[in-house]
DNA sequence: ACCTGAACACCGTTCAAGT
DNA sequence: ACCTGAACACCGTTCAAGT
């Protein structure tokens, strides 16, 4: 209470009347709360009312900031896609001039991120959200991430370490392998024998090794 | 109405009083209706009440046959896993003594089935259903399908056309590629350029070719 | 045995009303 | 501008009651 009063006084002194009246940035707070709740439970049981309660506003307040539940979900997925793009950029940066190492690193980051935010990852790729131009920034983020992958492939071809061929298709084949492993892991579909005896890094390496063998220039 | 009366008369003549009193096999009818509805709309919006209405019973009748909504979903997924196992068996049968062709055929069947029943496929792998021993027959069907894949790899190794290595891990790497492509397709995540210019068969071949290159004995 | 209808606690969404 | 509370049509689930 005291803190709040202080903040208000400070505002009155310093700046012209600020926009929000209860919260600093309800939009962002809702998004954060939703990200947390979706990982604590799962996509299906995430409710707008629960999010509102967690943030401390009425259950209709989110409608000021999101058209409906779906566009809130799109917001969450958007955060995920940006994380993905960043991870990829980091992998490229880290292993300069070594496409194979970049791919390995990117794959590991992809799987790692999926395991840290499994339900967000599910949301991003499950087809719950429409993939037409309802959420153009979502498609854009996805395409940006894919572009990163294509650039790795392209550089590998230029260096003569990856085989020639349609970049789109080679990139898709590579992504498929990594994506498949990630979704198998977070879906809990890993065959039992593997889940008890092998660690994630080993599995990721196995998949990327197979992909890299398939990509190798002959 | 007339038809119903006729059926009842027929029963009275032909057979000892049959068990059900409104429906021949409500369990099966519910499962079928659910499979249809899940593909017409999507997982999230599938409701028990809608299924009951479609079948023509009260909204509480399904509880005689399924403990709750989740176990009904598990039933749907179970059907999907059996379809998958059959598709794999067919692929093996069709290309006797040719592991590479078996793999190619199995991959195509996998992707094809996913595209025919996208929402069922989503349900099977999305992690909505628990993967512990809550639904043991589900895990069993999944493992059976994976065993089929392992046998193809094993035969390839025996014939000297696939490289040596842990069968579990090689099978996982192969499955990852196919699974990833299938989920990218049904999730609507295929990059735009590919979706307008390339057909499914071509994409499947590209992925399996990469996998097979990676599997090849050196 | 199998099914129904009322009841309960939850949803998402809309809208008039408050500050 | 931003938030609230009542209201509506939907859920899943339970349970006493009907045939």
């Amino acid at each position: 209470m005291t803190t709040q009063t202080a903040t208000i006084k400070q505002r009155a002194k310093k700046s012209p009347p600020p926009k929000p009246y209860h919260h600093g940035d309800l939009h962002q707070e809702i998004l954060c709360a939703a990200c947390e709740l979706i990982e604590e439970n799962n996509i299906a049981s995430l409710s707008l009312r629960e999010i509102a309660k967690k943030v401390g506003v009425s259950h209709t307040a989110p409608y000021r900031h999101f058209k409906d539940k779906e566009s809130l979900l799109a917001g969450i997925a958007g955060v995920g896609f940006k994380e993905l793009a960043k991870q990829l950029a980091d992998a490229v940066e880290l292993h300069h001039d070594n496409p194979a190492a970049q791919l390995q690193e990117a794959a590991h980051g992809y799987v790692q991120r999926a395991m840290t935010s499994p339900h967000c990852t599910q949301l991003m790729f499950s087809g719950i959200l429409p993939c037409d131009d309802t959420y153009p920034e979502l498609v854009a983020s996805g395409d940006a991430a894919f572009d990163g992958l294509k650039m790795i492939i392209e550089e590998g071809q230029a260096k003569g370490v990856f085989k020639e061929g349609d970049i789109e298709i080679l990139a898709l084949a590579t992504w498929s392998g990594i994506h498949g492993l990630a979704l198998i892991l977070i879906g809990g579909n890993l065959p039992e024998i593997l889940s008890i005896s092998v660690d994630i890094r080993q599995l990721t390496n196995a998949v990327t090794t197979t992909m890299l063998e398939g990509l190798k220039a002959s």
Side-chain angles (χ1 to χ4, degrees), chain A:
Chain A
M1 277 174 137
T2 327
T3 318
Q4 215 165 16
T5 317
T7 314
I8 289 166
K9 272 190 191 161
Q10 211 177 315
R11 272 195 197 138
K13 271 193 186 175
K14 265 197 157 177
S15 51
K19 297 151 256 165
Y21 113 53
H22 250 143
H23 287 83
D25 189 352
L26 189 51
H27 183 99
Q28 199 56 37
E29 274 187 68
I30 287 170
L31 226 43
C32 287
C35 282
E36 284 170 34
L37 284 172
I38 212 177
E39 296 304 343
E40 281 171 32
N41 305 288
N42 64 69
I43 299 176
S45 64
L46 180 73
S47 85
L48 274 177
R49 289 167 109 107
E50 191 190 12
I51 298 167
K53 188 151 68 168
K54 175 158 181 160
V55 172
V57 292
S58 80
H59 67 271
T60 56
Y63 284 90
R64 280 298 123 190
H65 301 274
F66 299 93
K67 185 181 156 285
D68 51 20
K69 192 184 181 182
E70 191 184 87
S71 72
L72 201 171
L73 292 178
I76 302 173
V79 174
F81 277 115
K82 262 172 215 125
E83 283 178 21
L84 213 60
K86 198 189 167 301
Q87 206 112 30
L88 226 165
D90 289 351
V92 170
E93 186 114 7
L94 191 60
H95 296 281
H96 231 277
D97 268 0
N98 186 346
Q102 287 175 333
L103 219 53
Q104 200 110 311
E105 186 71 27
H108 191 250
Y110 195 94
V111 171
Q112 206 63 39
R113 210 211 123 267
M115 306 265 314
T116 323
S117 313
H119 295 127
C120 177
T121 305
Q122 234 113 262
L123 175 62
M124 291 160 68
F125 298 107
S126 64
I128 292 174
L129 298 168
C131 283
D132 45 38
D133 15 325
T134 320
Y135 305 104
E137 90 282 13
L138 259 180
V139 181
S141 310
D143 286 356
F146 192 68
D147 284 345
L149 181 56
K150 282 196 289 185
M151 281 172 59
I152 300 181
I153 306 273
E154 210 163 6
E155 200 184 321
Q157 288 184 327
K159 283 188 156 32
V161 293
F162 291 167
K163 69 179 175 190
E164 293 303 309
D166 187 308
I167 292 174
E168 304 282 344
I169 288 186
L170 289 177
L172 176 66
T174 309
W175 182 30
S176 292
I178 300 162
H179 187 67
L181 175 63
L183 292 206
I184 287 167
L185 286 171
I186 67 179
N189 303 114
L190 195 67
E192 212 178 350
I193 321 105
L194 284 172
S195 57
I196 53 174
S197 64
V198 183
D199 77 340
I200 308 294
R201 179 107 223 175
Q202 213 174 330
L203 295 177
T204 313
N205 283 343
V207 171
T208 49
T209 301
T210 308
M211 307 306 311
L212 283 171
E213 285 290 323
L215 278 177
K216 214 159 42 181
S218 45

